[in-house]
Every structure is written in structure tokens, then in C-alpha cells.
């Protein structure tokens, strides 16, 4: 008995020492897959690499050009090929979907050690903890429903920033009559959907919730959705003829330089505008996109990182180090200042560290929207329905923008049909 006990203790100690030795020998490494291939987005993610290396890690990245759909397609094919990435930028319901396959790593240990539950914005936790365990490290909160206005054009025509969609149309009529382009836009499925997010939300928040959060096909076929497509059709008329092949950064520049009056886009625009030297208040104003129901609105998008199980101890150590780096207050300031977003931690003071007025306004509006019960997540940015539904919806929206022979009634029905086909 005595011998057995001693033997058991010794075995346990040896195992513990061996485990420690493995962890000690492991050299934290990562290869993060993400969609931020150029411009201010690449500059922002480079900061993560720098901080990870400063903390002793070896950083590699795989940047997938295009938008989220391309990253998601690459993720799927890598996993099918048995080559799961160590870390990937993954959002919204896709996090729960991949978590349910049993291939993701559990972050509870690092989350508990660092008290994530106490500091992460409550709007994000259910997305990051789909079944109660942390599976994603949230990097930020982006606001989708921003309207950037050209101060030059507003001043020239003595116009105020429009607050409702009727105001918006009236302003555009004046702007077009004065010989300017009203809306700067670049044709891409996700930017068409970004605009439509704001239109549906601003016209009818209940419709937004039913159609875009719950994928309710009756809501998609409703008169409200037909009216929203009619508004979108009007807005296509306020764009110039050069939208095909134009990037969102190029569209942004049109508004910043006064070539176009308005640009509807998320707050990654703030980062890009800052990087290009444009100035808030001087070149442009930022306000929420129009709402017909008064009050403050916030369409939320959040970038986060999910880790897939690895067998190489270096990559396992790298996952812990990367998760911890992402959640550090220092990273939350540096990255979000560079990304245009607001931190995912609630304990960061935005009046310090270089956050712009637009970013500070974003946080104030987030709080107001939460208390007014108007907060929604973004369909266009993968925060509500699975990619298969989002992809089907974006195809209909983008076709509608490209082809003016499609009527609003047809588009509303096509939206519902497309989603039904995927169900
Ligand atoms: C991502 C942002 C990105 C934006 C434009 C969004 O879906 O969440 O990180 O800046 O797309 O590319």
C-alpha cells in the first residue's frame, strides 16, 4: 500500500513536471487567417503581429483578399483538407456553427485567469460564448450605420445632415440639381448589403429584426420590405455611373474630397480616412444613417478570433498568447485606434490614447442605443444569419442594385425565395 501510494505520487509528479517542461519548451507561434489584406486594415492587423512578437511569439499571417465570404470559403476548404488554421478571424453565428463541429479550442482557462467575463461588452458575450464557454476573443465593436457627409457640399448648399430617409432624399435632389453626385458607392455585394442594412433598419426596425435577424420569409415578402427596396432603387439613382469596380476606399475618398456628398459605410472608414490625412469636422462629418423612428440606432458588427485545435505544442502555446494579447487593454487601444472601431472591453477610456471624435461618438451612441432598445446586429457583416443565408440575400440585393429592371416587389419575393432555397 505504502509503496503504491509513493509510486502514484511519483508518477503524478513526473507527469506534472513533464507537462511543465513541454509548456516551457514550446515556443509560441501562430498563423492567423483574416480578411485584412490592404490599407488601414492591414496596418491595424500588423499591430497585432508586432505585439505578439514583442510578447515572445512568432507571427505569421494569411491574409485573404476580398471580403468575409472569401475568408470563410478558405477556412472551410482548409478544414476539409485537415489543415485547420491555428487562429482565424471569424464572426457572428459562424462561431457557434464551427464550435458545434467540435474542432475549436476552448479559451475558458485564459478567460478565467484574465477575468474576461467582467470586462467584455455584454453585447458580445453570447456570440463569443455560444454554449457557455469562451471560443472567441473579441477584438472590437464596429458600427455599420454611419453616414459620412462632405462638409464642402453641405456648406456650399447650406444643407444639414439628413435625419430621416425623406430628409435624405430631399437633400440628394438638391445635391444632384447642383451638379454633384449624392452618394459615393462601390459595387460589391457586401457594400450594397451594408447600404441596405441601414435602409431597412432606418425605415422599420421590427422588419429588420424579423427579416435580417430571424430570416423570417414573410417579413421579406412584406410591404415594408417592398418599400425598403423602393428606397434603395431611389438611392441607386443618386449614385454615379462609375460604381463598378470601385473599392470602398475610393468611394470614401469621393466624399472626403467633396466629389460626392454622402457615403454610407461602417467605421473602418474612419481609420482609412485618418490614414489618408482627411480630417473629421473639416473634410467630413460622421452621423448615424437616417432613421424614421427618432432616437439613436446602432447596427453592430464585431471582429473576433477563433482558435482551432492543434497538435503542435508551439501553436497551442501561441493560441494562449494570442488570445491574451488580443484581450489586453494595450492591444484594445492600439488596434482600435488604427481600425476605426471601439474596444470590446468596457474598461477602456476613449478620451485617451488617440480615439477620434467619431469613435467616441460611436461609444456614446452604442450606450444610448442599448438603453433605448434599438441595438441590432448587422446582416451585411455576418452578425445575424449563417453565411449561406447572408450570401443568398446579398446576391438578390446586389442584383437589384445592378439591374434596374427588377422591381421592388420582385426583389422582396426573390429575397424570400433565395432564403427558402437554403433552408
Ligand atoms: C469587417 C471589418 C472590415 C470591413 C471592411 C467588415 O465586415 O468586420 O473588419 O474593416 O468589413 O472590409
Amino acid at each position: 500500500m505504502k509503496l503504491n501510494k509513493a509510486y502514484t505520487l511519483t508518477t503524478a509528479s513526473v507527469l506534472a513536471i513533464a507537462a511543465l517542461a513541454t509548456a516551457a519548451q514550446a515556443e509560441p507561434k501562430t498563423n492567423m487567417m483574416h480578411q485584412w489584406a490592404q490599407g488601414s486594415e492591414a496596418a491595424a492587423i500588423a499591430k497585432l503581429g508586432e505585439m505578439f512578437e514583442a510578447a515572445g511569439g512568432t507571427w505569421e499571417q494569411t491574409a485573404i483578399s476580398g471580403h468575409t465570404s472569401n475568408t470563410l470559403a478558405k477556412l472551410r476548404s482548409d478544414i476539409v483538407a485537415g489543415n485547420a488554421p491555428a487562429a482565424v478571424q471569424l464572426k457572428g453565428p459562424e462561431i457557434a456553427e464551427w464550435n458545434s463541429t467540435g474542432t475549436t479550442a476552448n479559451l475558458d482557462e485564459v478567460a478565467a485567469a484574465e477575468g474576461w467575463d467582467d470586462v467584455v461588452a455584454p453585447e458580445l458575450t453570447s456570440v463569443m460564448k455560444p454554449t457557455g464557454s469562451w471560443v472567441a476573443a473579441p477584438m472590437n465593436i464596429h458600427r455599420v450605420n454611419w453616414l459620412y457627409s462632405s462638409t464642402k457640399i453641405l456648406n456650399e448648399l447650406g444643407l444639414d445632415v439628413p435625419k430621416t430617409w425623406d430628409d435624405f432624399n430631399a437633400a440628394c435632389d438638391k445635391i444632384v440639381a447642383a451638379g454633384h453626385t449624392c452618394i459615393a458607392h462601390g459595387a460589391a455585394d457586401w457594400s450594397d448589403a451594408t447600404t441596405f442594412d441601414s435602409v431597412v433598419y432606418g425605415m422599420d426596425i421590427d422588419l429588420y429584426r424579423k427579416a435580417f435577424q430571424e430570416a423570417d420569409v414573410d417579413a421579406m415578402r412584406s410591404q415594408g420590405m417592398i418599400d425598403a427596396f423602393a428606397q434603395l432603387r431611389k438611392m441607386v439613382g443618386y449614385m454615379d455611373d462609375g460604381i463598378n469596380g470601385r473599392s470602398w476606399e475610393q468611394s470614401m475618398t469621393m466624399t472626403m474630397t467633396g466629389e460626392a456628398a454622402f457615403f454610407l459605410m461602417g467605421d473602418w472608414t474612419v481609420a482609412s480616412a485618418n490614414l489618408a490625412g482627411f480630417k473629421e469636422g473639416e473634410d467630413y462629418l460622421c452621423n448615424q444613417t437616417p432613421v424614421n423612428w427618432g432616437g439613436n440606432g446602432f447596427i453592430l458588427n464585431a471582429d473576433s478570433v477563433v482558435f482551432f485545435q492543434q497538435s503542435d505544442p508551439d501553436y497551442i502555446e501561441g493560441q494562449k498568447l494570442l488570445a491574451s494579447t488580443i484581450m489586453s487593454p494595450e492591444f484594445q487601444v492600439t488596434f482600435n485606434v488604427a481600425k476605426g472601431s471601439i474596444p470590446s472591453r468596457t474598461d477602456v477610456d476613449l478620451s485617451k490614447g488617440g480615439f477620434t471624435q467619431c469613435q467616441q461618438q460611436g461609444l456614446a451612441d452604442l450606450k444610448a442605443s442599448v438603453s433605448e432598445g434599438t441595438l441590432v446586429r448587422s446582416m451585411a457583416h455576418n452578425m445575424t444569419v449563417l453565411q449561406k443565408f447572408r450570401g443568398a440575400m446579398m446576391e438578390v440585393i446586389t442584383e437589384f442594385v445592378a439591374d434596374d429592371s427588377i422591381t421592388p416587389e420582385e426583389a422582396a419575393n426573390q429575397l424570400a425565395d433565395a432564403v427558402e432555397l437554403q433552408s
Side-chain angles (χ1 to χ4, degrees), residues 116-405:
W116 294 7
D117 280 303
D118 300 330
V119 294
V120 170
E123 297 73 38
L124 301 179
T125 36
S126 61
V127 184
M128 309 297 146
K129 299 168 75 175
T131 53
S133 280
W134 286 96
V135 298
M139 306 176 94
N140 62 10
I141 294 177
H142 269 305
R143 186 198 208 174
V144 172
N145 57 322
W146 278 115
L147 176 71
Y148 304 92
S149 310
S150 153
T151 47
K152 193 169 160 207
I153 296 184
L154 291 189
N155 291 343
E156 179 196 317
L157 301 178
L159 294 171
D160 292 327
V161 174
K163 290 198 161 52
T164 66
W165 286 110
D166 281 347
D167 289 352
F168 184 86
N169 297 340
C172 275
D173 289 336
K174 290 187 187 144
I175 289 159
V176 171
H180 300 294
T181 297
C182 190
I183 303 177
H185 192 73
D189 55 2
W190 69 271
S191 42
D192 294 336
T194 299
T195 302
F196 202 48
D197 254 9
S198 276
V199 169
V200 175
Y201 177 70
M203 288 179 72
D204 185 342
I205 192 164
D206 293 329
L207 173 66
Y208 186 97
R209 289 198 170 109
K210 287 203 189 86
F212 288 170
Q213 301 204 147
E214 295 160 29
D216 176 329
V217 288
D218 293 333
M220 292 180 202
R221 291 187 207 280
S222 70
Q223 185 59 43
M225 188 59 80
I226 295 170
D227 295 344
F229 272 112
Q231 172 64 23
L232 183 60
R233 172 65 69 231
K234 235 181 205 307
M235 290 168 75
V236 175
Y238 294 139
M239 297 167 188
D240 68 342
D241 289 338
I243 64 174
N244 284 327
R246 185 186 285 149
S247 69
W248 68 264
E249 288 95 337
Q250 290 169 322
S251 316
M252 172 201 80
T253 304
M254 287 173 68
T255 295
M256 302 293 150
T257 57
E259 194 185 333
F262 300 121
F263 181 48
L264 291 87
M265 189 51 73
D267 47 13
W268 41 92
T269 303
V270 170
S272 191
N274 289 344
L275 197 67
F278 297 114
K279 299 260 175 301
E280 271 178 42
E282 285 177 32
D283 300 308
Y284 69 99
L285 304 177
C286 54
N287 296 84
Q288 71 173 1
T289 51
V291 296
N292 293 348
W293 33 263
N296 291 285
F298 200 101
I299 305 183
L300 180 142
N301 171 28
D303 294 309
S304 43
V305 177
V306 171
F307 302 92
F308 283 85
Q309 288 165 25
Q310 304 287 306
S311 50
D312 182 335
D314 290 353
Y315 282 93
I316 297 172
E317 275 309 293
Q319 292 179 324
K320 290 182 200 154
L321 184 62
L322 190 61
S324 174
T325 307
I326 289 170
M327 291 312 299
S328 69
E330 297 73 31
F331 170 80
Q332 291 284 326
V333 172
T334 307
F335 177 73
N336 286 304
V337 164
K339 189 73 174 65
S341 37
I342 55 184
S344 63
R345 293 178 69 115
T346 53
D347 58 351
V348 176
D349 181 358
L350 267 63
S351 67
K352 301 193 181 108
F355 288 97
T356 65
Q357 286 301 316
C358 290
Q359 286 171 296
Q360 296 182 40
Q361 189 60 47
L363 178 58
D365 290 352
L366 171 65
K367 289 182 180 159
S369 176
V370 169
S371 76
E372 290 168 31
T374 58
L375 180 85
V376 298
R377 294 191 184 136
S378 169
M379 180 280 286
H381 292 275
N382 294 85
M383 294 299 294
T384 61
V385 293
L386 286 174
Q387 170 61 19
K388 61 178 183 173
F389 298 118
R390 168 188 179 253
M393 288 201 250
M394 286 200 310
E395 215 168 293
V396 172
I397 297 164
T398 219
E399 268 300 308
F400 179 78
V401 169
D403 179 353
D404 63 10
S405 74

